[in-house]
Amino acid sequence: MSTRIAVYPGTFDPITYGHMDVIKRGTNLFDKVIVLVARNSTKTPLFTGEERVAMIKEIFRNNPRVSVDIFDGLLVDFVVRKKATAIIRGLRALSDFEYEFQMALTNRKMDGTIDTVFLVPDERYTYLNSTIVREIARLGGDVSDFVPPCVRKRLVTKVKPHTRR
Ligand code: COA
């Protein structure tokens, strides 16, 4: 049987426990999950692409089913180049649906052989996103419930937290 490969794309600025939960679920379904960092998304990331990649690599260094890559181009081109058959996206709440539906159908329109698989992260992470984590870190709050220690360390160094009163 051929190796089943999926690509999990995102900005990951930074990766959170919610993303990690989706990646873990992805490895239960696919032989290999490529976490793909979008270098130039429409957002203005706090971390450089290379920093975002380094954090994800560190977290999954002992998991041979997870690899990390970075890209600038069209997602479907990368998926085809890697001989992957699926795109993984996390669905946290109904509010995610419309945007995800649009992306999945657009990607399918561009390449009908690629399917998008939606995975639901653990309910503990449904409210989470990277913006909230960056904001808490910037204001000097504790982000250890949201990101692993290696990400927390880099966040604290990166942002200059305001002193909490
Ligand atoms: N846990 C925690 N947070 C999560 C999450 C989860 N399981 N799933 C999503 N999020 C958060 C992210 O942290 C992010 O938060 P932020 O907005 O505060 O940064 C937000 O939800 C959604 O971001 P993400 O999942 O990273 O997707 P994105 O919208 O930033 O990325 C791309 C979209 C990069 C996948 C998409 O633009 C793309 O494919 N671009 C490539 C170019 C292309 O092919 N375009 C055509 C696509 S149709």
Side-chain angles (χ1 to χ4, degrees):
M1 219 171 74
S2 58
T3 310
R4 293 163 310 159
I5 304 171
V7 176
Y8 179 40
T11 307
F12 303 110
D13 186 40
I15 186 167
T16 67
Y17 281 134
H19 296 121
M20 288 164 59
D21 186 71
V22 170
I23 294 166
K24 232 182 83 218
R25 287 170 200 281
T27 58
N28 293 335
L29 295 174
F30 294 92
D31 300 311
K32 202 175 156 199
V33 172
I34 305 174
V35 183
L36 188 59
V37 173
R39 191 199 303 270
N40 297 327
S41 73
T42 47
K43 302 170 180 175
T44 311
L46 173 69
F47 289 100
T48 66
E50 287 67 26
E51 287 170 331
R52 285 175 274 150
V53 167
M55 286 186 271
I56 305 169
K57 277 192 173 160
E58 188 173 342
I59 292 164
F60 290 100
R61 66 184 182 282
N62 294 325
N63 189 337
R65 295 170 91 122
V66 178
S67 64
V68 190
D69 218 322
I70 187 162
F71 81 130
D72 288 313
L74 265 185
L75 175 59
V76 288
D77 290 344
F78 179 89
V79 173
V80 169
R81 201 165 69 235
K82 293 292 173 180
K83 296 186 171 39
T85 51
I87 295 167
I88 293 176
R89 293 289 290 170
L91 263 193
R92 289 159 302 166
L94 197 57
S95 51
D96 282 343
F97 181 77
E98 215 165 315
Y99 172 61
E100 294 298 338
F101 191 63
Q102 182 189 25
M103 278 213 300
L105 288 180
T106 310
N107 284 328
R108 178 182 285 168
K109 184 82 189 158
M110 288 188 281
D111 190 319
T113 65
I114 302 166
D115 269 305
T116 301
V117 174
F118 293 106
L119 297 177
V120 178
D122 191 296
E123 64 207 32
R124 281 177 297 168
Y125 308 123
T126 47
Y127 61 91
L128 201 54
N129 68 26
S130 301
T131 303
I132 290 180
V133 173
R134 290 194 305 272
E135 172 85 356
I136 294 171
R138 197 172 286 131
L139 297 172
D142 179 13
V143 292
S144 49
D145 280 348
F146 314 127
V147 297
C150 67
V151 173
R152 191 183 62 81
K153 231 188 289 168
R154 281 176 188 250
L155 255 177
V156 171
T157 316
K158 191 85 170 176
V159 299
K160 215 165 159 257
H162 294 203
T163 316
R164 278 171 91 182
R165 295 165 203 208

